[in-house]
Amino acid sequence: MEHLFWPKSVAIVGASNNPGKAGHQILKTLVEEKFQGKIFAVNTSENEVFGLKCYKSLKDIPDRVEMVVISIPAPGVPDVMKQAAERGDVKAAIIVSAGFAETGIPERIELEKQVVEIAKAAGIRIVGPNCNGIINTGNRISTSFAPGLKMIPGSIGYFTQSGATGGSLLLFASSQPQPLGFSKWVHVGNMCDVTNLEVLEYYASDPSVKVIAGYMEGVRDGRELMKLADRITRQKPLLVLKVGRTEVGSSATLSHTGTLAGSDRIYSAAFAQSGIIRVNTIEELVDSAKALVLAPYPKGNRISVLTEAGGLGIIAMDELGSDPAVQLAPVTQETQEALAKVLPPMAMICKPNGYVDMTAAAMEKEFAESLRLLLKDPNVDAVILIGLPPTFLPAENVAKAIVEVARNHEKPVMVCFMTGQVMEDARKYLEESGIPTFDTPDRAARAMINLIKAASRLNYKGSKVLTLVPDKIFSHNIVKEAAREGRNLLEPEAVQVLEDFGIRMQPFYFAKTEEDAVAGADAIGYPVVLKVVSPQIIHKSDYGGVKLNLYSPEEVRQAYAEIISTVKRKAPDAEIKGVIVTPFMKGGTEVIVGMLRDPQFGPVVMFGLGGVFVEVFKDVSFRVAPFDRDEALKMIAETKAYTILRGARGSQDKDIDALADLLVKIGEIAVSNPEIKEMDLNPVAVFERGLAVLDVRIITEN
């Protein structure tokens, strides 16, 4: 990676005097930005470009060439790579050219493979193809042809899977009141060799990069991303704008890069699990990066909102209330009384607590003193200050008063002075003084939320993601046998698998006749449930294969006969093995515990309200397996089911600890048995003490 960012010499293959060519723009940037290395121009039809001698081929360059930038039509790229390989001194290549695997055309896919084979044999690393390459402000190198980019030194490391979006990030950053600089920038393109994960790993070890920010469309190995991010985010913040949040967006992503976008909910869960801060817009990415670069890290998550405009303050409050990672600061009574002495009588102080509306009557003195009191309060970790100073109160005066106070406290202050020319000088002064400013209250609040998330993750001492205790690994013979036979597990088999993993199941009796069913019910005790057993029937109730709350032998006989008759009518080709007899369980809160195998992240466990509620409300959370008990508890708390389990409307608290243990074990089963494609425990009844798995399905990869 050092050869890509710190080459001592660069050859531009496709350098041109034609301004309409990428090779022209790349060479122009290198010359104008005064790249700190040698530059060679290569073009078969040019003699000189930007005052540089133009060589007819790469092999004609007499000096050492460390990196090659290729900007010619795709069919000519393999020949250039062969020349680079023959030279022996080329260590890195950036292929700007498009027309490779991203087209989906078989011949172009093979062309990309050919290029990779040549490079690997010669030990040459490739960024691209179909990319803008790299920028390093440290040595003034830029292979990007995006318009208007400014090479402003700073401490952000950018990565992107879209050249235009990546260029936009730099444009947004440079258009801040105080232009926001960066250290390095990479557009990975098709990732035929160097991947976004390698870039992240490089940034993790780069002392010039303090914050990592990027645009992602998808990742080929989600589990590797999680492991890497888990290491990075304990030391440096990692912000990711991941697109494909909707089915429409996901479809566009697939056609754009050929990278599978995957399930958005699973991406969000995986990001949170490994410490990645997910953002949803370019503005949020730049806002958050600015906050992380300029502001001190808070020691907690308690935020106070200080505003002189009620509507703007409420907008910020709505944004804060949308994220459970933060809370309004419980301002002390002493601070509230001091604020009352400073502010006008019509001011709204801590209604609710943590929110202070100074009203438009506040002058710079009230701004400064109110901010000082809040920052001094031990219950306040951070302050969002919002205003649109009127014409009789120069914004620059307010800005100076804010800076004078903020510099005496190691707590972050975010300022929203609204967008507009009249606020530009004040905002520039604030940002030059280390206080980030924002165009709107919600953007200030969201940047503060992400700053707090990053701060809470730094130096995180929790267990590493995706670690599994060796003695929990147990590949079950029943699962392997079913997969070999190309079938799903029968319910008695699924019950046995769960029991063997230490999950306590309800007693059951497998019956092949009416009399067997009655004998089983007598042994178990009434009331009972009957459920059909058939390898072809997954959702039993859809075929009339379930009978509940049976209190007598007569009811059991009748239920057995009805199940067999109905299933045969609705699924005539289904093989009916018999029925399961189990106890009928009353009470408890019904939840669902599920598992699926995601293409990017592997086994993923789901939790939510059970029964019909999971389809109606879609109140579910996910975690990539394996995970520990603490992560399982967080998973439960993310859902509305948590409120019910905690004893809503006067009911008793349910056994959340037992539920967390179940989630952990399902993850362990999934990791240990790769043949399992899906699991569905629905419903699971959770009681004041313990729980009961009332139905289980295990689907294999067959």
Side-chain angles (χ1 to χ4, degrees):
M1 297 293 284
E2 287 289 300
H3 295 295
L4 287 165
F5 287 103
W6 297 95
K8 295 179 176 62
S9 57
V10 177
I12 312 300
V13 179
S16 175
N17 284 308
N18 181 352
K21 300 288 187 181
H24 173 92
Q25 298 299 331
I26 293 169
L27 188 55
K28 179 183 178 183
T29 300
L30 287 171
V31 172
E32 291 182 348
E33 291 290 350
K34 297 181 173 56
F35 164 59
Q36 297 171 6
K38 293 182 179 180
I39 306 172
F40 304 107
V42 179
N43 192 312
T44 57
S45 59
E46 302 277 7
N47 294 319
E48 184 179 287
V49 183
F50 287 106
L52 298 173
K53 177 183 177 180
C54 200
Y55 296 92
K56 300 303 179 184
S57 70
L58 193 60
K59 60 186 177 183
D60 293 334
I61 300 174
D63 293 333
R64 176 180 171 80
V65 177
E66 189 173 353
M67 185 166 78
V68 177
V69 180
I70 305 173
S71 180
I72 62 173
V77 173
D79 185 59
V80 174
M81 289 303 300
K82 288 177 183 176
Q83 293 180 39
E86 290 169 0
R87 287 186 60 92
D89 54 358
V90 177
K91 303 300 180 185
I94 294 173
I95 304 177
V96 175
S97 316
F100 289 90
E102 81 280 359
T103 65
I105 300 171
E107 293 81 359
R108 293 307 179 101
I109 295 173
E110 286 301 316
L111 189 67
E112 185 172 301
K113 290 180 180 178
Q114 183 183 350
V115 169
V116 173
E117 289 172 1
I118 296 168
K120 284 188 174 180
I124 300 172
R125 299 307 310 270
I126 300 175
V127 172
N130 183 31
C131 76
N132 272 353
I134 60 98
I135 304 175
N136 180 7
T137 59
N139 61 356
R140 314 295 295 178
I141 188 172
S142 172
T143 67
S144 175
F145 50 85
L149 299 186
K150 297 178 182 178
M151 200 172 287
I152 306 168
S155 58
I156 302 172
Y158 290 102
F159 70 96
T160 178
Q161 285 182 261
S162 164
T165 306
S168 298
L169 291 174
L170 296 184
L171 291 176
F172 268 84
S174 65
S175 65
Q176 299 300 304
Q178 173 65 17
L180 188 62
F182 66 101
S183 173
K184 294 176 178 67
W185 180 97
V186 183
H187 173 210
V188 292
N190 289 7
M191 296 191 290
C192 77
D193 179 27
V194 173
T195 66
N196 44 18
L197 297 190
E198 286 185 275
V199 173
L200 287 175
E201 194 157 17
Y202 180 75
Y203 285 168
S205 63
D206 187 343
S208 73
V209 174
K210 306 299 183 186
V211 176
I212 304 173
Y215 166 84
M216 180 180 289
E217 294 175 352
V219 64
R220 292 168 184 166
D221 191 334
R223 297 178 78 82
E224 283 305 310
L225 170 64
M226 291 180 67
K227 292 175 184 177
L228 177 59
D230 182 51
R231 297 199 306 270
I232 292 174
T233 56
R234 296 169 190 252
Q235 303 298 324
K236 298 180 181 182
L238 174 54
L239 303 165
V240 176
L241 170 55
K242 166 66 177 70
V243 292
R245 289 182 292 127
T246 64
E247 288 187 14
V248 172
S250 180
S251 175
T253 297
L254 184 62
S255 64
H256 184 48
T257 63
T259 302
L260 187 61
S263 166
D264 188 64
R265 279 188 167 184
I266 294 173
Y267 265 101
S268 289
F271 281 14
Q273 202 171 334
S274 54
I276 298 173
I277 299 171
R278 184 176 186 178
V279 301
N280 293 324
T281 65
I282 290 175
E283 293 92 340
E284 185 185 349
L285 186 66
V286 174
D287 288 345
S288 301
K290 176 165 66 173
L292 287 162
V293 167
L294 293 182
Y297 289 130
K299 292 181 172 60
N301 70 342
R302 301 167 299 179
I303 304 171
S304 180
V305 175
L306 178 63
T307 180
E308 56 90 32
L312 301 179
I314 294 169
I315 292 172
M317 293 276 283
D318 280 344
E319 189 68 25
L320 294 176
S322 71
D323 201 308
V326 299
Q327 61 177 310
L328 279 174
V331 176
T332 65
Q333 188 62 36
E334 180 184 357
T335 299
Q336 294 183 41
E337 291 171 359
L339 285 167
K341 293 177 182 178
V342 169
L343 293 173
M346 70 284 292
M348 293 181 61
I349 300 172
C350 293
K351 298 177 182 179
N353 200 354
Y355 177 74
V356 179
D357 183 355
M358 300 178 290
T359 76
M363 303 296 283
E364 63 259 45
K365 178 181 177 182
E366 285 78 15
F367 269 89
E369 186 60 16
S370 298
L371 179 61
R372 186 189 69 78
L373 289 169
L374 289 173
L375 290 175
K376 181 184 174 184
D377 192 306
N379 290 351
V380 176
D381 297 311
V383 175
I384 298 172
L385 193 154
I386 306 166
L388 184 62
T391 53
F392 54 80
L393 178 59
E396 293 90 334
N397 292 358
V398 178
K400 290 177 181 177
I402 291 169
V403 169
E404 188 64 31
V405 172
R407 64 165 47 121
N408 293 318
H409 297 83
E410 282 298 313
K411 294 181 180 181
V413 176
M414 307 286 183
V415 173
C416 170
F417 269 0
M418 301 304 292
T419 188
Q421 185 71 31
V422 70
M423 298 296 161
E424 187 173 317
D425 289 342
R427 292 182 62 181
K428 188 173 188 300
Y429 176 79
L430 285 165
E431 294 195 354
E432 286 175 343
S433 303
I435 298 176
T437 70
F438 304 90
D439 289 351
T440 60
D442 54 312
R443 286 174 61 178
R446 179 48 54 181
M448 181 69 86
I449 292 168
N450 290 340
L451 174 69
I452 286 171
K453 287 181 178 179
S456 67
R457 179 70 185 184
L458 293 178
N459 301 312
Y460 177 64
K461 303 301 182 185
S463 59
K464 295 180 180 179
V465 297
L466 308 185
T467 56
L468 185 67
V469 179
D471 63 7
K472 298 292 181 69
I473 298 174
F474 170 36
S475 183
H476 206 291
N477 288 331
I478 290 178
V479 175
K480 289 190 287 188
E481 183 179 351
R484 279 197 304 267
E485 295 174 358
R487 63 175 179 81
N488 302 319
L489 271 67
L490 300 174
E491 186 168 358
E493 295 174 316
V495 169
Q496 187 64 57
V497 169
L498 296 189
E499 283 188 338
D500 289 346
F501 270 89
I503 298 172
R504 186 177 179 182
M505 302 296 291
Q506 299 303 304
F508 75 92
Y509 191 92
F510 180 43
K512 295 183 178 181
T513 66
E514 287 184 13
E515 293 308 316
D516 282 348
V518 171
D522 289 341
I524 290 171
Y526 295 93
V528 295
V529 174
L530 266 57
K531 295 184 286 184
V532 70
V533 176
S534 170
Q536 288 79 33
I537 296 176
I538 304 299
H539 299 285
K540 306 176 187 69
S541 58
D542 292 349
Y543 294 87
V546 180
K547 294 292 182 179
L548 305 174
N549 207 12
L550 307 174
Y551 274 87
S552 67
E554 291 73 23
E555 289 183 2
V556 170
R557 287 191 183 91
Q558 182 179 350
Y560 184 96
E562 288 178 359
I563 286 175
I564 301 301
S565 174
T566 304
V567 171
K568 282 183 177 179
R569 186 178 71 254
K570 291 188 175 182
D573 295 330
E575 179 188 5
I576 301 175
K577 300 281 190 179
V579 301
I580 279 183
V581 184
T582 64
F584 177 72
M585 304 298 295
K586 296 179 181 180
T589 298
E590 290 192 355
V591 300
I592 181 173
V593 175
M595 169 266 161
L596 58 88
R597 202 164 294 277
D598 181 75
Q600 275 72 47
F601 294 98
V604 177
V605 176
M606 180 193 74
F607 167 75
L609 277 175
V612 67
F613 296 112
V614 69
E615 299 295 336
V616 175
F617 299 115
K618 295 181 172 61
D619 176 39
V620 293
S621 61
F622 293 90
R623 285 298 184 277
V624 180
F627 48 86
D628 60 20
R629 197 163 180 271
D630 288 343
E631 201 65 43
L633 290 170
K634 293 177 188 175
M635 184 180 179
I636 297 167
E638 288 174 2
T639 66
K640 293 181 177 63
Y642 181 67
T643 304
I644 300 173
L645 293 166
R646 287 294 304 272
R649 293 186 175 272
S651 63
Q652 292 294 314
D653 288 0
K654 302 302 186 291
D655 197 340
I656 293 175
D657 288 337
L659 182 56
D661 290 338
L662 175 63
L663 291 168
V664 170
K665 287 178 180 177
I666 293 301
E668 292 169 354
I669 295 172
V671 173
S672 305
N673 295 270
E675 300 89 353
I676 297 177
K677 181 181 179 181
E678 296 177 32
M679 273 193 281
D680 187 6
L681 284 62
N682 183 30
V684 175
V686 187
F687 305 104
E688 284 79 10
R689 291 195 63 183
L691 51 79
V693 178
L694 303 184
D695 194 63
V696 55
R697 289 182 285 273
I698 296 181
I699 312 299
T700 64
E701 294 274 9
N702 55 58

